[in-house]
Amino acid sequence: MEKEIKINFEVIPSYEQLSDIEKTLFDKAKNIRQNAYAPYSNFFVGCALLLENGEIITGSNQENAAYPSGLCAERTAIFWTSANYPNEKIKKIFVIGGPKDDLSSTPIPPCGGCRQSILEYEAKQKDVIEIYFTSPKGEIIKTKSVRDLLPFSFDGTFL
C-alpha cells in the first residue's frame, strides 16, 4: 500500500517580509557565514540561534582535510549553546548557505546530520524549534519543527 506524507512549511518571499527578530537572525547568519572555514568545498554556511532568554548564538561550518572531522554551522552553534546554556531552550534557527561567491537564490536546508541533531535538541527541551533556511538572496523557507524536514525520524523513544 502506497501512502503519502505531507509536510508543512511557509515561503517568505524576501528579506523585507521578515519580522525584526527574523531580520536580525538573517543578518547574523549571513555575517558569520563569512567566518566559515571551507577550503575544500567552498560551501559557506552561517547559522544563528535565538534562545528563549533572548541571546543569539552564531556558528559557521568548519572543515577539515580529514573528512568527516569538520562540523556544520548548525551543529557548531547548537553544541556550543548546549555546553554554555545547557538549560536554555532554542526557539529559532536561521541557516544561510551556498558556495562562497555564488549568490544563488536556492534555499539551502540543513543536512541530514544537522536535522538529526536539531531533532535531539527538540526532544531534550521538550519544545519545537522553528527552522528558517535560505541562500544569501532569495526566498526563505520556514518550518515549525525539524519533524517537517525529517518525517521518519529516529529519536530516543526507540531506545
Side-chain angles (χ1 to χ4, degrees):
M1 172 194 297
E2 187 175 309
K3 294 186 177 188
E4 183 177 303
I5 294 177
K6 294 183 180 184
I7 64 167
N8 294 309
F9 64 95
E10 179 182 343
V11 176
I12 303 167
S14 68
Y15 175 87
E16 290 75 24
Q17 294 176 313
L18 294 171
S19 71
D20 288 344
I21 189 63
E22 291 166 344
K23 285 178 181 175
T24 298
L25 292 168
F26 179 100
D27 293 341
K28 288 191 176 288
K30 185 176 179 181
N31 289 338
I32 197 69
R33 180 177 177 267
Q34 298 308 310
N35 293 349
Y37 177 69
Y40 309 104
S41 70
N42 198 40
F43 198 83
F44 281 48
V45 181
C47 177
L49 311 178
L50 176 65
L51 304 184
E52 191 170 52
N53 67 4
E55 291 277 334
I56 296 175
I57 308 300
T58 60
S60 59
N61 57 315
Q62 303 294 311
E63 293 182 351
N64 192 294
Y67 286 125
S69 294
L71 201 57
C72 298
E74 299 93 311
R75 285 181 282 161
T76 299
I78 290 169
F79 295 162
W80 189 92
T81 298
S82 184
N84 291 280
Y85 295 93
N87 300 314
E88 200 62 43
K89 287 184 179 182
I90 300 169
K91 301 306 289 178
K92 300 175 187 290
I93 295 178
F94 213 109
V95 181
I96 297 177
K100 182 180 182 181
D101 297 319
D102 179 8
L103 297 181
S104 167
S105 60
T106 303
I108 306 296
C111 75
C114 288
R115 293 176 195 202
Q116 186 67 35
S117 292
I118 296 166
L119 179 73
E120 185 71 20
Y121 283 86
E122 280 192 358
K124 175 186 173 191
Q125 67 186 31
K126 297 180 177 78
D127 200 2
V128 296
I129 300 169
E130 287 183 353
I131 301 171
Y132 300 75
F133 58 91
T134 188
S135 60
K137 67 175 188 174
E139 67 185 18
I140 300 132
I141 305 295
K142 174 186 174 184
T143 66
K144 293 181 181 176
S145 168
V146 72
R147 291 186 187 275
D148 291 321
L149 301 177
L150 199 60
F152 286 105
S153 55
F154 177 83
D155 62 26
T157 62
F158 290 98
L159 303 176

